[in-house]
Amino acid sequence: MRITKLGHACVRVEKDDRVLVVDPGIFTPEAEALAGVDVVLVTHEHADHVDDDRLAAAQAADPRLRIFAPQGVADAFPALRVEPVGHGESFSAAGFTVDVYGHRHALSHPDVTPCANSGFLIDGEVFHPGDSYTVPDRRVPTLLVPCDAPWLKLPEMVEYLRRMEPARAYTIHDAYVSDIGMDIVASWLEDEAELLKADIRVFRRGDTVEV
C-alpha cells in the first residue's frame, strides 16, 4: 500500500489501482484528495475531518463512491450517503478490508460531551484512530498518530506510542501547528524512534510511504 499525507488528518491510501481516503476535512485543500477515490472513511463529524459539501459533490459526480462512518456522521450530514459502522465491525470495500475500533472522541472540554469516533484499521496494517487514543485488540504495524489537538498533550502522545509499539508511526492532525512547533514534535519523535527501534517521524503534507 502507498500512503500519502494530505492536509491535517487526511491520508490517501492506494493499492492495486484502488483508492481509499480517510478524513477529508476542511483543512485538506488538496484538489486531488478525492480524485479517483473509491472509498472514504470518516472517523467523526467534526469539520476538520469531514468536508460535507465536498463529499456531497463527489458522491453526486460518482454515485458509486462509498462513505463509511459512525452513525453520528450520518445523522449530522443527511445529504451524504453514509454506511454507518461501529466498534467491532469489519467490512470490505474496493479491495480493502477495514476493522473498526473505538467508541468516543477524546475529551476536548469539560463542558462538551465527546461525539462518536471510529478508528479504522486498513488491511490489518494501517490504523487511523481519528481523535482518540484507541488501542485495537491486535498489533498495529503502522500507526497514524495525532500530534496536536485541543484534546492532546505530549505525554499522552508518547504514552500512546509506547503502548501501541508500532513498527512505523507517522504524524497526523497538525493543521494547528507552526513550522517551529512541528520541529519540536520531530525532535520528540526522534527520541521515541530510538527507544522503540521503530520508524517514527513527522509526516508532512505530500509525504508518501510504502508499507
Side-chain angles (χ1 to χ4, degrees):
M1 287 187 292
R2 182 184 187 194
I3 308 169
T4 302
K5 168 70 178 296
L6 302 179
H8 193 49
C10 182
V11 296
R12 181 179 173 96
V13 182
E14 299 172 80
K15 181 187 75 171
D16 299 331
D17 297 322
R18 308 306 294 270
V19 179
L20 178 152
V21 169
V22 188
D23 281 1
I26 60 171
F27 299 152
T28 306
E30 288 85 355
E32 72 272 19
L34 298 178
V37 68
D38 300 291
V39 182
V40 173
L41 309 179
V42 177
T43 61
H44 63 284
E45 64 208 57
H46 293 164
D48 58 326
H49 294 257
V50 53
D51 184 335
D52 60 305
D53 289 337
R54 184 160 46 164
L55 278 175
Q59 280 194 321
D62 183 2
R64 298 170 300 174
L65 175 60
R66 302 178 73 181
I67 300 174
F68 296 87
Q71 182 64 51
V73 174
D75 294 341
F77 307 112
L80 299 179
R81 297 189 303 278
V82 174
E83 299 179 53
V85 293
H87 177 74
E89 295 185 48
S90 298
F91 60 92
S92 295
F96 296 92
T97 298
V98 181
D99 298 299
V100 186
Y101 291 97
H103 299 278
R104 290 290 167 187
H105 190 290
L107 183 65
S108 295
H109 190 282
D111 297 337
V112 178
T113 302
C115 65
N117 181 95
S118 291
F120 297 110
L121 179 62
I122 303 163
D123 279 356
E125 173 66 44
V126 181
F127 186 59
H128 191 307
D131 283 8
S132 77
Y133 300 116
T134 296
V135 177
D137 60 0
R138 57 191 290 187
R139 189 166 189 275
V140 170
T142 305
L143 174 65
L144 301 173
V145 58
C147 69
D148 186 81
W151 52 270
L152 186 155
K153 295 188 294 187
L154 174 66
E156 295 167 338
M157 181 184 72
V158 170
E159 289 171 3
Y160 187 46
L161 285 167
R162 293 180 182 180
R163 187 175 180 189
M164 294 286 280
E165 294 186 320
R168 294 165 292 279
Y170 308 117
T171 56
I172 57 171
H173 216 280
D174 55 11
Y176 315 127
V177 193
S178 68
D179 289 340
I180 293 172
M182 287 307 296
D183 287 342
I184 295 171
V185 170
S187 69
W188 284 110
L189 293 181
E190 287 174 6
D191 292 342
E192 289 308 303
E194 182 176 354
L195 177 69
L196 298 176
K197 306 303 180 188
D199 180 15
I200 301 175
R201 53 191 161 95
V202 166
F203 204 28
R204 300 186 187 275
R205 178 177 286 175
D207 284 355
T208 295
V209 293
E210 302 276 351
V211 298

